[in-house]
Amino acid sequence: MKTKNELLKVEEQLCFALYSTSRLLIQNYKPLLKVLDLTYLQYLVLLVLWENDRVSIKTICEKLLLDSGTLSPLLKKLGSKGLIVKVRSPEDERSVLVALTSKGKAFESKSQQIPQQMFCQLGLKSKEVEKLKNQLRLLLNNLVSEPN
Amino acid sequence: MKTKNELLKVEEQLCFALYSTSRLLIQNYKPLLKVLDLTYLQYLVLLVLWENDRVSIKTICEKLLLDSGTLSPLLKKLGSKGLIVKVRSPEDERSVLVALTSKGKAFESKSQQIPQQMFCQLGLKSKEVEKLKNQLRLLLNNLVSEPN
DNA sequence: CACAATTAGATTGCATACAATCTAATTGTG
DNA sequence: CACAATTAGATTGTATGCAATCTAATTGTG
């Protein structure tokens, strides 16, 4: 049984482990993404679009668990880089569809190597990575489904 | 064996699992920290100080894996809130020591319940949390020790 | 059909993150 | 001991995150 004082230690806390590991891993992406002049978040949005071109901003928000306050300026930036275009949905004028330009599509093939390169830097076995991902998804599910 | 296209899916990526779970967990802290009018990062700095009062800014940076660009303004804020004071080290005038005020110390007892409350929200068993923390620490170690 | 409620995005304001640069203090070296 | 190199923090600039608010479009309801 851990005492309350032990529980208040930074090193003991799951959230800090997540927070610091997440930041560090994102930093490891930077040299790989610098070649494409992309930030990690810009890369995430492109990942969504490579999976499903012409999706609404709302869908991107849901997939990345981010809100429009974060994504609006980012999509503007991706637009100014010539990687995407925004089109108002004909069926629902409130909705804005995001589509890849040919340049945006071309970036997909340039990114093929990134997942493997990142995997090598993890220093973990495939099985371990899968296990970790599964645990994280379980936790994420618990957190999103509990609205408090 | 996964194809390259599968690997480029957001849902497949460990980093995204880390990134989104981390953000979501930090959001879960907000209602608990709002009572003390603290942000998660401010809480982290206080955790460090409750463990070891009168530490240098450099030490805080190392413990939290953050740089002075992030912590300098944050410590200024904690100072203006009356939770800490900064004193230049007598032995080394470059170094700045951070010390808790009585108010800052008093916040420790007010935070005693937070770890348990957070644990309840995770929806995981103690064993699972420990396993997850261990895996994350292993990964973190791999990432920091590989300078590329 | 009028109109309140909801919804999709954008904007604003504040709080991180982090690279790059700057200053002042200390250390290492000839 | 002079002085180059290093070190601790602070500052600046850019890019997130997210709460709160705003606008315009759509939906639900009497």
Side-chain angles (χ1 to χ4, degrees), chain B residues 24-36:
Chain B
L24 220 60
L25 192 48
I26 288 173
Q27 283 193 46
N28 274 254
Y29 269 91
K30 285 189 181 172
L32 301 181
L33 294 174
K34 189 159 193 173
V35 191
L36 301 171

Side-chain angles (χ1 to χ4, degrees), chain B:
Chain B
M1 191 56 178
K2 280 172 186 162
T3 67
K4 285 188 179 178
N5 270 350
E6 281 176 304
L7 290 174
L8 275 179
K9 286 187 180 177
V10 171
E11 295 300 329
E12 275 300 317
Q13 306 210 349
L14 175 64
C15 188
F16 176 67
L18 274 165
Y19 163 75
S20 48
T21 310
S22 164
R23 279 190 299 109
L24 220 60
L25 192 48
I26 288 173
Q27 283 193 46
N28 274 254
Y29 269 91
K30 285 189 181 172
L32 301 181
L33 294 174
K34 189 159 193 173
V35 191
L36 301 171
D37 189 32
L38 292 175
T39 64
Y40 181 67
L41 186 51
Q42 291 167 2
Y43 173 65
L44 279 185
V45 171
L46 290 180
L47 284 178
V48 171
L49 292 170
W50 293 332
E51 255 184 86
N52 254 308
D53 203 358
R54 256 184 98 78
V55 292
S56 69
I57 292 180
K58 175 181 155 63
T59 304
I60 301 177
C61 286
E62 286 169 352
K63 289 219 179 198
L64 300 182
L65 303 174
L66 290 165
D67 73 355
S68 70
T70 302
L71 283 179
S72 273
L74 187 115
L75 291 169
K76 197 178 286 182
K77 182 80 184 183
L78 282 178
S80 74
K81 285 187 175 196
L83 297 169
I84 62 159
V85 286
K86 295 195 282 182
V87 195
R88 214 153 264 283
S89 164
E91 305 98 56
D92 187 339
E93 290 278 333
R94 288 171 305 180
S95 184
V96 174
L97 300 178
V98 181
L100 290 162
T101 61
S102 55
K103 184 179 172 189
K105 285 173 189 162
F107 267 42
E108 182 175 9
S109 52
K110 295 184 185 172
S111 304
Q112 293 290 330
Q113 308 304 322
I114 295 179
Q116 289 96 326
Q117 289 175 306
M118 281 311 301
F119 172 73
C120 295
Q121 295 186 26
L122 299 182
L124 297 179
K125 292 175 196 136
S126 235
K127 282 262 171 62
E128 292 173 320
V129 174
E130 288 309 312
K131 222 168 62 180
L132 185 48
K133 275 197 294 190
N134 286 334
Q135 285 179 294
L136 289 171
R137 282 194 275 248
L138 175 64
L139 176 54
L140 189 67
N141 259 320
N142 291 349
L143 294 175
V144 289
S145 58
E146 280 173 36
N148 300 334

Side-chain angles (χ1 to χ4, degrees), chain A residues 11-12 133 135 137 142, chain B residues 11-12 133 135 137:
Chain A
E11 295 300 330
E12 275 300 317
K133 273 196 295 189
Q135 284 179 294
R137 282 194 275 248
N142 292 348
Chain B
E11 295 300 329
E12 275 300 317
K133 275 197 294 190
Q135 285 179 294
R137 282 194 275 248

